[in-house]
Amino acid sequence: MLEIKNLHVKLEDEDKAILKGLDLKVEAGKVHAIMGPNGSGKSTLSYVLSGRDGYEVTDGSATLDGEDLLELEAEERAALGIFLAFQYPVEIPGVGNMTFLRTAVNAQRKARGEEELSATDFLKEVRAKAKSLKIDADMLKRPVNVGFSGGEKKRNEILQMAMLEPKMCILDETDSGLDVDAMKLVSEGVNALRDEGRGFLVITHYQRLLDHIKPDVVHILANGRIVKTGGPELALEVENNGYADILAEVE
Amino acid sequence: MALPEVKQTATEARLAALSLPTGGCLEAGRRAALARVQEMGLPGARDEYWKYTRPETLVQAAAPEASVFDDGEVAMFNEFDRLQVVFVDGVFDAEASDDLSLEGVTIERLSDLSAKDLHWAKDLYGVLEARGQNPVERPLAALNTAFATDGVVVHVTGKPSKPINLVYKHAETASDAILHHVIKVDSGAEATILENGPAASRFNKAMEIDVADGGSLHLIRAQGRDHERRAATHLFARLGKESVFKAFTLTVNGVLTRNEAVVEFLGDDAVAHIAGACVGDGDFHHDDTVFITHDAVNCESRQVFKKVLRNGATGVFQGKILVKEGAQKTDGYQISQSLLLDDDSQFLAKPELEIYADDVACSHGSTSGAIDEEGLFYLRSRGVPLAEATDLMTLAFLAEAIEEIEDTDLGTALIERLTGWLARRR
């Protein structure tokens, strides 16, 4: 599904290489986790895949179901099925959460040549999905993420994911800023979306999240490259011994 | 002191093109206003108060032409139950207007006062305007007092069940409308006034507002996106104890707009909010000039102005809070912000505080910035195309000003209208 080959990325403004030949393949139906020390390039990877400005791809490729992602605008990638759950969801005052969701859902449908959802169908769907994430009517009415607690913001990300039904979900440190209960709720939301046609890339610092969202494959990202790949046990190893051992072993 | 020759000539030329309405209780007030104009002279390019806005076309004898803008859109506020008072090129249109009787309020035509020797409006007409000439001169308002041909005289005695909608239609390519309204709100009374429409190719409007103790007045106006119109408007409000005055203005395009608001707190514990949202897309110039004087204890004033500018549009904000000696516990807030969507547009701001009391909380801020890239990426990452995402961010930016409208239905209607306008522009 998602295939990244020899990806080299630098910051547009400064001559600083961040990803240095990253290879990664995520199959449909699988959950891949990426762990790595600070500054290893985890967030950059999520931004480059979702199409944020400010990065320059100097070499390599990234495709989703064979389509070149790197040539597309952020909104085109979204319509193709890429979804990034932000580490720090952005507050947008003055735009109601519901308006935002409907605009996004219909923009994607339109881009794919599908019919737009009617107001009633949309409402029905959003209410049902919001309920399972314990998002109340008030949160749907309020401006996007404004005044939301850390947990509410992350649940709102998952609600968007549920409404947009992407093929490839990228979760950038979704566990940051969450207490245990909120993490459980968010994880349940993610697990409910696991399905054969959908891939997940879960970026995290801690093994804790992976207790709730069980990965099929775990990668260690260090210095802009995947340096080690294994099963869930690799995450445990990191949790117990830190990155130092693994990095030493690789070098 | 004699006026500079250029100003003298321009003022005389303008006055020569006008004739002073005579008769009735307002004549003395009109003559006094004419004397003020002659003494002050009309605004010129060298006046400090007109540093950011060129007054020539507002002052020149003949109104510049403006084609009538009609895109077939339903008139603003049409979906609301309201009492309509229609003016076409500055002339009352009885046919198009509703019956002016409504419980809790008396509405009369200004021009009818020429036949009356006694009327309460005599004590307000030109009186608040004259007070507002100090410390800054506003000659266009004095010109208005002298020569206004029409307008409404509204006495709010209760709580009318629906808003009064002043509708200003534009029909002639070169029309010069001068309207003057007087609004008196009795103690404990409450009303909402809506205004919309371009009025004329050139529009000079003044509104004098007297809110008695415990009274409330809400004013919501929409100066539509008629590209070629010019307008200079003045609000003069005098507020009694525990009264409330809230004004919001939406301005979209228009070659030239200068909106002045002059508010004076005379009674304690009163509230005044003056807010505006402006969208300029093209060679348009929009100026908000606000002067709020606190001369009472524990009053709250807010000025919230947001402008979105692109394709060469210019926004101006001159806002002042004057806290007089003894106006303790004043709570004054002033914010003016612009969102510049390209490098061709500009925002000129002059925020001022002048405080002579020692126990007050006043704050002011002014910013100019580009669109929030974080927010834009967030929306795009959800599949919202760039143009649509920019519109959403634009609305988000304007929200703080629009939220100043207390009636959420009216606020929502304005947002919907704005959304439609933004979408059409794409």
Side-chain angles (χ1 to χ4, degrees), chain B residues 127-138:
Chain B
V127 173
L128 300 190
E129 172 260 300
R131 285 181 74 96
Q133 298 293 352
N134 191 10
V136 191
E137 292 178 350
R138 306 170 202 280

Side-chain angles (χ1 to χ4, degrees), chain A residues 67-78:
Chain A
E67 294 232 35
D68 184 0
L69 286 176
L70 303 177
E71 285 298 307
L72 301 175
E73 298 292 345
E75 55 267 34
E76 294 169 320
R77 301 183 198 197

